[in-house]
């Protein structure tokens, strides 16, 4: 049984930081490409950051480059998203996603990911 579980969301003031975590069980973690997505009310789900199986190369949406860092520890089956210099427009439900592939194709496209967590809410106050 595949389980993807996020944690670490919360309420933070603008300029602050949060770190999200995601664990994936039931899959061979180092064979997964993993990503973070977010969805604000009334908006489409947006790809935020992705990192392929080996954990080497990371990809970011332009809106978060230089502020967010995605990383993973394969030995712990865990994915992270360090979010710094948070802005009110970062407020959204954040989702962890995984796919069984090490391809660099369409890394921030939601339809490419088969496994999803339930989400963790991030709220940034101004």
């Amino acid at each position: 049984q595949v389980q993807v579980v996020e944690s670490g969301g919360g309420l933070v003031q603008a300029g602050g930081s949060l770190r999200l975590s995601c664990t994936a069980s039931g899959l061979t973690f180092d064979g997964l490409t993993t990503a973070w997505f977010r969805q604000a009310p009334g908006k489409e789900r947006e790809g935020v950051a992705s990192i392929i199986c080996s954990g080497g190369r990371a990809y970011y949406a332009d809106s978060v480059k230089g502020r967010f860092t995605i990383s993973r520890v394969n030995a712990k089956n865990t994915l992270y998203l360090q979010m710094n210099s948070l802005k009110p427009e970062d407020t959204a439900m954040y989702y962890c996603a995984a796919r069984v592939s090490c391809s660099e194709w369409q890394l921030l496209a939601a339809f490419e990911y088969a496994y999803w967590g339930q989400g963790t809410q991030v709220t940034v106050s101004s």
Side-chain angles (χ1 to χ4, degrees):
Q1 183 179 356
V2 177
Q3 279 195 316
V4 178
V5 180
E6 306 95 337
S7 62
L11 173 64
V12 64
Q13 288 189 331
S17 298
L18 280 175
R19 188 175 81 157
L20 306 183
S21 299
C22 168
T23 58
S25 58
L27 298 165
T28 302
F29 194 78
D30 60 5
L32 303 176
T33 287
T34 49
W36 291 97
F37 290 80
R38 66 186 181 186
Q39 189 166 19
K43 294 189 176 181
E44 291 187 357
R45 192 166 294 193
E46 172 192 22
V48 174
S50 177
I51 188 166
I52 62 171
C53 307
S54 62
R57 191 168 178 180
Y59 299 82
Y60 298 93
D62 288 343
S63 57
V64 305
K65 279 181 183 176
R67 300 188 298 122
F68 290 11
T69 302
I70 189 171
S71 61
R72 56 192 282 167
V73 178
N74 286 352
K76 295 184 177 181
N77 287 7
T78 303
L79 175 72
Y80 301 99
L81 185 68
Q82 178 67 43
M83 304 185 294
N84 298 328
S85 302
L86 282 160
K87 304 175 182 179
E89 52 263 44
D90 294 318
T91 295
M93 186 72 79
Y94 281 72
Y95 297 91
C96 175
R99 69 189 195 196
V100 181
S101 170
C102 297
S103 167
E104 295 186 23
W105 176 254
Q106 297 277 36
L107 287 169
L108 296 181
F111 67 86
E112 289 286 342
Y113 290 83
Y115 304 101
W116 292 84
Q118 293 300 307
T120 185
Q121 178 68 37
V122 172
T123 303
V124 184
S125 63
S126 58

